[in-house]
Amino acid sequence: MEKAKEPKHPCFCEYLKINQVIYNLKTTDKIQALEELLDVLVKLKIIKNKKPVLTRIIDRERLVTTAIGHGIALPHARLDTGGHIAVVVGRSESGIDFDAVDGKKVHLIILIVWNPSIPGLFNHLFAGLAQFLIKPDFRRRLFEAESKKELYKLLCEIELTLLPSEDKIIHRAGLLWKLQKIEIQKKKSNKAKKKELQKQANLIRDELDDALLDRFDKLMERYGFAVAELEEGACQGCFINVATGMRSAIEGSDDIYICENCGKYLVAKKKAK
Ligand SMILES: [Zn+2]
């Protein structure tokens, strides 16, 4: 009797072919590296013009770095490029300064351009990538890949059905914190400044989940803020201590949690720059 085939999860390589991988980037400059990556997409005719994509990526990068720590960055832009999604990956032997939260240089860049007509796709892709890239062993294998072929094979191991658990949203805390800052600033600004801030807010809103934003807006309306920092184990939204396990999970991470006491979004204390 024939065994039923197990359903296969969609693999990252549905969006990434081997010629969309650069084994060793020539430059160690952030902007030049982004250009080098985009040149690949232009050459393969996956995108037509480099300029608008580069501008959008840099604008987004300026708001909050897309370096997720541990030597990895996921620069991205939401832009209609004709196709659904465009992905290109670059590895850097010497490392690139990406202004990462952990201060580490970036050795792997996964650049993503996705079409605004399919908003859910990026969240899905980002969540799937984050779930894999968070594993130290997987990262080590990626960094140690000895050829383009080996690197590509490893990237093909990434499956995209894994969604973040409901009590934790991976690697989005910095983004949500920035959005709150912008929304608060917006209230105190004049018309021209408001417009500029709205543009920045929209860039962030574009890539956050609808359910998350919906809850964020409700909290903002009710309390004037929606995201609280965790300081010395206490939620700064309600000043109640969180459970020890939760405290150690939050501290030093860029993940979003929800305070069990006051229901606000809870993030690690941001380091003063
Ligand atoms: Zn709280």
Side-chain angles (χ1 to χ4, degrees):
M1 219 167 68
E2 207 180 324
K3 242 172 111 185
K5 271 191 191 127
E6 271 185 48
K8 207 179 163 292
H9 292 153
C11 146
F12 183 44
C13 293
E14 279 183 24
Y15 308 105
L16 184 80
K17 300 296 159 220
I18 192 161
N19 52 10
Q20 286 156 252
V21 174
I22 298 177
Y23 181 61
N24 203 3
L25 288 160
K26 288 187 203 107
T27 174
T28 55
D29 174 80
K30 181 163 101 177
I31 307 289
Q32 280 174 20
L34 293 170
E35 289 204 50
E36 202 178 328
L37 289 162
L38 289 174
D39 282 337
V40 171
L41 293 177
V42 173
K43 206 179 141 198
L44 292 169
K45 298 191 170 69
I46 294 172
I47 61 169
K48 279 189 203 97
N49 297 316
K50 183 167 82 176
K51 191 84 191 294
V53 185
L54 183 67
T55 308
R56 183 61 73 88
I57 286 178
I58 294 170
D59 281 351
R60 169 59 188 80
E61 207 65 42
R62 275 195 192 122
L63 282 175
V64 182
T65 178
T66 62
I68 60 171
H70 307 289
I72 294 169
L74 304 169
H76 50 263
R78 182 181 189 249
L79 209 68
D80 190 359
T81 54
H84 286 316
I85 198 154
V87 182
V88 57
V89 174
R91 177 186 155 278
S92 168
E93 192 92 53
S94 5
I96 296 164
D97 188 3
F98 241 86
D99 208 14
V101 191
D102 63 1
K104 284 187 184 157
K105 281 191 175 179
V106 161
H107 293 276
L108 192 78
I109 304 176
I110 301 176
L111 186 154
I112 302 165
V113 186
W114 85 103
N115 195 313
S117 65
I118 30 172
L121 183 59
F122 178 73
N123 277 317
H124 181 62
L125 200 66
F126 190 93
L129 284 169
Q131 289 276 5
F132 270 78
L133 299 173
I134 209 167
K135 297 178 198 160
D137 183 58
F138 187 69
R139 286 199 305 267
R140 187 186 49 78
R141 286 162 67 213
L142 282 174
F143 294 152
E144 286 174 3
E146 278 175 2
S147 65
K148 179 169 166 165
K149 215 170 148 185
E150 201 186 315
L151 179 61
Y152 181 69
K153 238 177 107 184
L154 283 166
L155 291 165
C156 288
E157 286 181 23
I158 298 175
E159 289 169 353
L160 298 177
T161 48
L162 302 165
L163 287 166
S165 58
E166 279 169 20
D167 58 345
K168 175 173 135 184
I169 298 146
I170 293 178
H171 295 320
R172 306 307 252 174
L175 208 56
L176 197 65
W177 185 252
K178 181 81 186 184
L179 180 62
Q180 169 163 288
K181 251 172 111 176
I182 292 170
E183 293 294 354
I184 291 171
Q185 215 185 332
K186 223 175 74 188
K187 285 186 198 149
K188 301 181 260 183
S189 302
N190 62 29
K191 215 172 162 188
K193 182 74 185 160
K194 227 174 218 153
K195 211 175 151 194
E196 170 57 29
L197 288 167
Q198 189 56 50
K199 231 174 93 187
Q200 292 180 13
N202 287 344
L203 263 182
I204 294 179
R205 285 177 178 271
D206 273 353
E207 59 182 270
L208 289 173
D209 191 70
D210 282 349
L212 177 104
L213 287 170
D214 195 45
R215 209 159 164 277
F216 172 87
D217 288 331
K218 282 188 183 128
L219 287 164
M220 284 300 281
E221 204 181 330
R222 190 153 172 200
Y223 303 105
F225 71 107
V227 195
E229 286 179 319
L230 181 75
E231 206 175 327
E232 314 237 333
C235 163
Q236 296 302 295
C238 62
F239 303 105
I240 300 283
N241 284 329
V242 304
T244 321
M246 195 172 178
R247 175 179 178 174
S248 57
I250 297 176
E251 281 175 351
S253 85
D254 186 37
D255 302 332
I256 302 167
Y257 290 78
I258 289 174
C259 173
E260 284 171 342
N261 182 57
C262 70
K264 295 189 188 81
Y265 288 116
L266 195 53
V267 300
K269 188 165 168 54
K270 302 281 159 237
K271 286 182 201 94
K273 270 199 171 171

